Every structure is written in structure tokens, then in C-alpha cells.
Amino acid sequence: MAYAAHHDGLPVRRPLMKNIADGAAPYLYSAPALILIVTVMLVPLALGVSYAFRDIQLLNPFSGAFIGLDHFRALSQDQAFYRALRNTLWWTGASVFLQFLLGLVLALLLDKPFYGRGLAQALVFLPWAVPSFLAGLNWSWLFNPVVGPLPHWFYALGIMSEPSNILSDPQLAMWGPIIANVWWGIPFFAITLLAALQAIPRDLYEAASIDGAGPVQRFLSITLPFLAPTIAITILLRTVWISNFADLIIVMTNGGPADRTQIVASYIFTQAFKRLDFGYASAIALVLLALLLAYSMLIVILRQWLLSKD
Amino acid sequence: MRAKPILLVTAHRLAILAYIAFALFPLYWLLKVAVTPNDLLYSEGIRLWPSRASLEHFDFVLRHSAFPVFFRNSLIVSGSTAVIVTILASLSGYALSRFNFRGKYWLVALMLLTQMFPLVMLVAPIFKILSPLGLTNSLTGLVIVYTAFNVPFATFLMQSFFDGIPKDLEEAAMIDGATQFVAFRQIILPLTLPGIAATLGFVFTAAWSELLFSLMLISGNDQATFPVGLLSFVSKFSVDFGQMMAAGVLALIPACLFFLLIQRYLVQGLTAGAVKG
């Protein structure tokens, strides 16, 4: 490393070739990954962005012409899109909040050693390994009163007035995919938060309890500040990821009933594969991408601002 | 004074049990449906265990369906993807962890960008690019696509493992005359074995579950992966839930085994790297 040569304080003269080789090292290490990402993701992305300005319909051989901003004009009038946008907010907000909350509690429960912790940890993290569409199929089965127990349990508990399928109830349908998503996503938060918890130096807690700090005070003044960076980055990543995550909704409700569970990502899927209108689908995807980028920038700027304030 | 800890410990164990029940109950139900004979499927739909259990669905799926082919295809695709991604991500993760270079910022930004957009958007363009190369309807094409999709996150994962290993180790080796690459291969990589295991498992389960691109890029039954195969149980005359769930249970086995083995390293490795923003 050229950098290290300056760094150790001794002015070492090194052959030119070696300097060039050292300078190229990081690029060589990252080149294979970079080339693959550019050819398989960035180039198709650029192509996909260009589709947003073209009339691309899969079964229509006369399509393909540039039509400028027509898709976006149509989109601004599309009531189904606005409904999908509102549903996305609800779907993402509820899923991330519940996954985070339950994941944090689970991480705290697993933080201290106890008999059987290894086994408990392996079992509670298991849903993460279940393929998402299989999780969706399975949960729609569980919510079905003919073959699933959940409606009957809800009825017995008095939550429901009769054992019916919440997936076909327009008021409640969104809860189906949200519950499946929470079940599936708790392990992600629990794993990352548990890792962050275990990195907190133990003597801090001892010192605090010698000073007479109670458990709540220790949590607020030690645990939470240490976890804050991890919490910020995982919530950011998960929010973006869950807004794009349509598998469960497509498998469980297909956007229904009456579009009540249609989120933007599943709306894109419907446009592309049911109506085969790739141009319009790309335009919607581009708007979603812009919104998510804006959201991420906002979080990053907010974080910088908070850090600089300290 | 003694009553309080016992109360706390009991509450803690009960909470853990509640989490385990919540995590496992849907998987239990999957198994229950898979062993329920067809004639009892609806009449005993909500019983916790059927009055008569049978392995007929498993027998049918293993001997009379194309499922073993799907299973083999999935194993090939997920295994190759996991190995290639882990190699590429070790290299790029090492670059991000150990070097300060111009373009590092852009590399990270590019990788973050790939996590931002709906992948549905890429289906048509990727099909258009792979088609003339003869890579549609081929497992190789699928491996290439999955590798690209998984490299960014795997790179960040590997970087956090490398960050947990002190720099002095390879600096000492380099003073002894080793090149950085030799130091990387012989000293750093062996120390990162838990991280490598975690990345392998993570990518394997991700590739094992992928449905959309498999559905779009593969048209023949002999190249189909198991998620696509599972859907073929739906698209027949009627949905055969018993067989589908039996296939689902079988398909869960490798992913779950892999995950049970690596989840410990995932936590350990992320701890070592002290995941920070």
C-alpha cells in the first residue's frame, strides 16, 4: 500500500512498478464483483429506465417507439397508482415497525447466556430460511377458515365475530401479508441487533450498576446509544427492501380484495406480467426508485446532521 | 429478594417459548398438511393432527413427479451461486475493508443503488441481453443473474467480518516479505472462515428461494428450479395442496439445515465487525 509507506514515518523509496501495482490492488480486488454488477444490473437498469420513455408491449410487434413523458402523464392521472402508494406506506410502516420492535425484544432476550440458548436461537431464526413464496402460501392456508386454525382461534378469543378469512375482508386483508412478513422478517432484525448488543463492552454495565443505575436506566443510557447506528442502518435498508417486496402480497392476495392490498411493487408486477405493458411498468418503477432514493438521502442527511450536532 | 429473580427468569423463559412457538407453528402446519391424506384434507382441516397420517404425498412427489429434477437443479444453481458470490465478495469486501482508494465512495454508492429498485424492472432487459447469448432457459444464465444480485450485500457482509480482524496481522506478514495477496490468502481468509460460512449460507438460502427470475428465464421443465416446480402443482387442474406442501417440506430441508449450521457464525461475525453505519 502506497498509503502505508507514507504512514510509518520512514521515507521509503520504492520502485515505480511496485507503486503502480500497489495502487492498482484495490481495483483488482473489486474488479470481478464490479464488472458483474455493471453488466448484469447497471446496464439492464439503464435499459429499463429507457423503457419508461418508450411504448414497450410484449405481444405487440409494432410497439417500441419513443413516446417521451406519456407514461408519466398517464401515471399522474392513475388513481390505482395513488392507492398503491398509500398502501405501500401502510404495508412498509407496519411491517418495519413490528419486525423491528419484536426483533429488538428477541435480541434482548437472547443477549444473556442461559441454558439452551444455542438451540432457542437456531429455532427462532428459522423462518428466515423459508422461501418467501412458500411462507406466503403457508400463511394464506393458516388464515383460511376451512383448512387453517387461525380464524377459529381469533373467533374463540373474541377478536372476530365469526371465523372468516381476513384475506377476503377489504378492511383487514392487509394484515394477512403484514403478519406473514413480520413472521418472516423478525430474524433479520434480531440477528443484526443481537450482534450489535454483543459488541457492547460488558464492564460498562457493571460500572453503571455499581453507580446505582437500574435496568431501565442502563438500557436508556448504555444499550440504546450503542445500538443507535445499527438501528438506523438496518431500518433504512429494511424500509427500502420491504417497499420493493411483493412476493407475499402476490402469493397471498394478488393485490385484492378490491385492490386493498395492492402496493406499488405488486402493481408494477401486475402491469408487467398480467398486462405485459413493460413501458408503463418501468415508468412506475422509476417513480418508486426516485421516492426511495429521496427517502434514503433524507435519512442519511438527517443522520449527518444529528452527528454534527453532538 | 429471592422471589423476584425467579419471577424474572420464568418470564424470560416464557417469552422465549412464545417466540419459538410463533416461529415454528407455521412450519408445523406445513408438515401437518403434508401428512394428511387427501380425503381428510378438508374434513379435518382444522384439527391439530389428522386422525390418520400418511406419507403418500411424499411418496408421490418423490417417485411420480419431476420434483427430484427441480431439486437437483436448485441444488446446482444455489450451490454454484453461493460459492461464486462468496469468492467475489471476499475479494471486494477485503478491498473495502483494507484500502482507501479513489472510487471507493462510488463503489459503495453503486452497491447501495442496486438494493434500491424493484428487480421486476430488470426482467425484460435481462431477458433481452441473455437471449442472444443462449443463456435463457439455462442454469448457467440463472447462476450469473443470482450471483450479480447477491454480490452487493455479500460484499458488505464480508467487509464487516474483515473489519473485525486487526490490520497488524497482515502488516506483520508483509514486513516478513509476503505480498498483500499472499497475506490475504494465507492469514486473513482462514481467520474469516466463520464469515465465509455465514456468507455461503446466506446466499444459498437467498438463491434457493428466488422465484421471479427463475420463472421468467426458464421455460422448460428440465431446467426449472423448485420454486417454479412448486407453482406447477398449482397450475394443474386443481391445486393439490397435499402434494404441494409435501414438496415444500422437502424443499425446506436443505435451506433449513444450512441455516441452522450457519446462524451462529452470522451473529458472531457481525459482532466482530461491530456493524456500524
Side-chain angles (χ1 to χ4, degrees):
Chain A
M1 279 191 299
Y3 167 77
H6 296 294
H7 193 74
D8 54 20
L10 298 167
V12 189
R13 286 189 74 90
R14 301 214 281 178
L16 182 65
M17 282 311 287
K18 179 133 176 49
N19 266 337
I20 291 174
D22 285 352
Y27 301 100
L28 291 177
Y29 281 109
S30 39
L34 187 63
I35 290 169
L36 199 67
I37 291 172
V38 168
T39 50
V40 186
M41 295 191 83
L42 209 57
V43 172
L45 177 64
L47 217 56
V49 169
S50 80
Y51 286 0
F53 304 95
R54 290 167 65 185
D55 174 29
I56 302 268
Q57 294 178 23
L58 211 56
L59 293 179
N60 181 356
F62 300 108
S63 67
F66 273 91
I67 53 164
L69 295 175
D70 280 7
H71 284 317
F72 295 97
R73 241 170 258 134
L75 192 58
S76 69
Q77 305 291 323
D78 187 348
Q79 288 309 316
F81 170 71
Y82 289 112
R83 187 171 326 121
L85 211 54
R86 281 195 298 274
N87 286 340
T88 304
L89 276 179
W90 172 224
W91 151 257
T92 312
S95 299
V96 172
F97 177 74
L98 289 173
Q99 282 183 4
F100 166 70
L101 199 69
L102 293 169
L104 178 65
V105 172
L106 180 58
L108 290 170
L109 289 173
L110 288 171
D111 187 34
K112 300 235 165 49
F114 59 88
Y115 182 74
R117 179 169 74 163
L119 182 67
Q121 184 179 313
L123 292 179
V124 290
F125 289 170
L126 206 54
W128 185 248
V130 177
S132 51
F133 74 96
L134 193 58
L137 279 175
N138 196 18
W139 275 97
S140 55
W141 189 270
L142 287 168
F143 282 125
N144 185 331
V146 181
V147 288
L150 292 184
H152 302 276
W153 292 356
F154 290 151
Y155 173 63
L157 288 173
I159 302 173
M160 274 175 154
S161 55
E162 53 173 342
S164 60
N165 193 340
I166 65 164
L167 296 178
S168 51
D169 179 342
Q171 299 301 321
L172 296 172
M174 190 57 115
W175 281 106
I178 288 176
I179 292 174
N181 194 15
V182 169
W183 175 79
W184 195 66
I186 288 176
F188 175 85
F189 274 110
I191 289 173
T192 40
L193 291 174
L194 180 59
L197 276 177
Q198 311 231 306
I200 301 175
R202 296 285 137 164
D203 37 348
L204 275 181
Y205 287 108
E206 284 160 29
S209 42
I210 289 168
D211 290 347
V216 176
Q217 214 176 349
R218 285 199 299 258
F219 178 78
L220 288 179
S221 58
I222 302 175
T223 313
L224 220 46
F226 260 96
L227 287 187
T230 311
I231 290 175
I233 200 83
T234 44
I235 286 189
L236 170 69
L237 278 175
R238 288 303 280 186
T239 307
V240 170
W241 199 84
I242 286 176
S243 350
N244 280 324
F245 182 48
D247 299 25
L248 288 174
I249 287 183
I250 288 166
V251 172
M252 293 177 74
T253 64
N254 214 348
D259 278 351
R260 283 306 177 89
T261 59
Q262 189 79 282
I263 61 168
V264 176
S266 62
Y267 190 52
I268 296 170
F269 183 87
T270 311
Q271 292 297 329
F273 299 109
K274 299 271 160 64
R275 295 186 44 202
L276 299 175
D277 189 344
F278 277 92
Y280 195 50
S282 288
I284 308 171
L286 202 59
V287 171
L288 181 59
L289 175 61
L291 290 175
L292 291 175
L293 274 176
Y295 163 81
S296 312
M297 295 291 265
L298 195 72
I299 298 284
V300 169
I301 291 169
L302 205 67
R303 187 165 165 271
Q304 294 295 16
W305 182 71
L306 281 175
L307 284 177
S308 65
K309 226 176 53 163
D310 286 341
Chain B
M1 209 45 210
R2 266 193 55 76
K4 206 181 157 208
I6 290 174
L7 218 62
L8 269 178
V9 166
T10 316
H12 174 261
R13 298 302 187 275
L14 283 178
I16 294 273
L17 278 180
Y19 268 103
I20 293 178
F22 181 52
L24 294 189
F25 182 73
L27 298 179
Y28 166 77
W29 204 255
L30 192 68
L31 186 70
K32 182 241 151 190
V33 175
V35 299
T36 306
N38 271 340
D39 54 320
L40 299 180
L41 204 55
Y42 294 100
S43 57
E44 295 190 356
I46 54 171
R47 275 176 65 132
L48 280 182
W49 190 256
S51 56
R52 190 153 48 79
S54 89
L55 295 177
E56 60 181 83
H57 296 310
F58 288 94
D59 184 64
F60 179 87
V61 162
L62 285 175
R63 286 205 293 186
H64 303 292
S65 76
F67 185 79
V69 179
F70 304 148
F71 199 79
R72 191 206 60 195
N73 289 340
S74 263
L75 218 51
I76 295 173
V77 170
S78 312
S80 324
T81 305
V83 171
I84 301 172
V85 167
T86 307
I87 294 171
L88 297 185
S90 309
L91 291 169
S92 52
Y94 187 69
L96 289 185
S97 168
R98 288 301 198 261
F99 296 93
N100 265 315
F101 55 102
R102 236 182 296 168
K104 179 175 176 174
Y105 177 81
W106 289 106
L107 187 62
V108 173
L110 175 66
M111 288 189 175
L112 283 178
L113 175 70
T114 64
Q115 309 292 306
M116 292 266 166
F117 54 87
L119 289 174
V120 181
M121 201 177 168
L122 299 187
V123 171
I126 283 186
F127 192 87
K128 220 170 192 169
I129 293 171
L130 291 185
S131 183
L133 300 171
L135 287 173
T136 52
N137 204 19
S138 103
L139 295 183
T140 316
L142 218 48
V143 170
I144 294 175
V145 172
Y146 289 177
T147 304
F149 287 177
N150 283 299
V151 151
F153 190 79
T155 298
F156 293 134
L157 199 58
M158 283 307 294
Q159 181 196 355
S160 82
F161 285 105
F162 287 128
D163 283 346
I165 296 170
K167 262 187 174 183
D168 334 356
L169 283 173
E170 70 249 62
E171 275 164 16
M174 281 155 69
I175 287 168
D176 291 344
T179 65
Q180 180 138 18
F181 188 68
V182 170
F184 166 65
R185 222 183 48 205
Q186 298 189 341
I187 296 167
I188 304 302
L189 271 189
L191 286 173
T192 336
L193 276 182
I196 290 173
T199 310
L200 272 175
F202 192 87
V203 177
F204 184 91
T205 44
W208 188 261
S209 323
E210 209 284 337
L211 174 65
L212 181 59
F213 279 81
S214 181
L215 206 57
M216 293 301 144
L217 296 179
I218 304 283
S219 50
N221 235 353
D222 50 338
Q223 304 289 308
T225 57
F226 100 86
V228 179
L230 260 191
L231 281 187
S232 74
F233 285 99
V234 182
S235 53
K236 284 192 302 188
F237 303 98
S238 62
V239 187
D240 197 325
F241 280 108
Q243 286 170 19
M244 191 163 80
M245 293 304 185
V249 169
L250 291 173
L252 269 180
I253 294 171
C256 287
L257 274 184
F258 226 129
F259 194 75
L260 286 178
L261 289 177
I262 59 105
Q263 48 87 18
R264 202 156 41 98
Y265 299 124
L266 211 54
V267 176
Q268 269 174 17
L270 289 172
T271 310
V275 263
K276 289 202 186 94

